[in-house]
């Protein structure tokens, strides 16, 4: 999967990777859960639509959605321009922060991309 989870204090910022954005092409629509929704690690939490395809996004961690990027919903191109900055998607209050240990770090993710 190409979603990321970045620890920000006690919260987790979730988005899709620059690689995923590059593969999708021009993003035209993003569907995100409402604030208060519960994410379950590994389950779909929304979708991103580009001129090429519609792809489900999968939760990298379980928890409650406490914020969503309304600006990215209104302007999906923010994902293309800055997926790790202004293009973030959700802020989650994790139910089990230890799940972060099960995820790849950025260096491992990048090395996996370069070997495929």
């Amino acid at each position: 999967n190409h979603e990321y989870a970045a620890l920000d204090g006690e919260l987790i910022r979730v988005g899709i990777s620059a690689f995923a954005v590059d593969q999708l092409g021009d993003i035209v629509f993003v569907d995100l859960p409402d604030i208060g929704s519960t994410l379950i690690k590994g389950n779909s939490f929304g979708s991103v639509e580009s001129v090429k395809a519609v792809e489900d996004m999968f939760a990298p961690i379980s928890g409650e959605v406490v914020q969503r990027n309304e600006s990215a919903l209104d302007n999906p191109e923010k994902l293309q321009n800055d997926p790790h900055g202004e293009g973030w998607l959700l802020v989650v209050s994790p139910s089990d922060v230890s799940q972060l240990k099960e995820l790849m770090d950025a260096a491992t993710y990048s090395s996996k991309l370069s070997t495929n």
Side-chain angles (χ1 to χ4, degrees), residues 6 10-12 14 19 25-28 30 35 40 44 48 53 59 63 67 78 81-82 89 94 99 102-103 112:
E10 294 182 3
L11 300 174
I12 307 293
V14 174
F19 175 80
D26 292 334
I27 296 172
V28 296
V30 180
I35 293 171
I40 304 296
S44 174
V48 61
Q67 188 177 357
K78 286 189 177 204
N81 298 334
D82 192 12
L89 298 173
Q99 290 178 336
E102 301 167 12
L103 302 176
K112 296 254 185 218

Side-chain angles (χ1 to χ4, degrees), residues 46-83:
S47 62
V48 61
E49 181 178 345
S50 73
V51 295
K52 292 181 181 180
V54 176
E55 296 289 335
D56 283 335
M57 296 179 287
F58 297 92
I61 193 162
S62 297
E64 179 183 346
V65 176
V66 295
Q67 188 177 357
R68 64 186 204 162
N69 190 345
E70 299 294 336
S71 180
L73 289 171
D74 294 338
N75 301 295
E77 64 273 4
K78 286 189 177 204
L79 274 75
Q80 288 170 249
N81 298 334
D82 192 12

Side-chain angles (χ1 to χ4, degrees), residues 90-107:
L90 301 172
V91 175
V92 176
S93 176
S95 55
D96 182 2
V97 74
S98 70
Q99 290 178 336
L100 285 176
K101 295 177 186 173
E102 301 167 12
L103 302 176
M104 285 185 265
D105 62 20

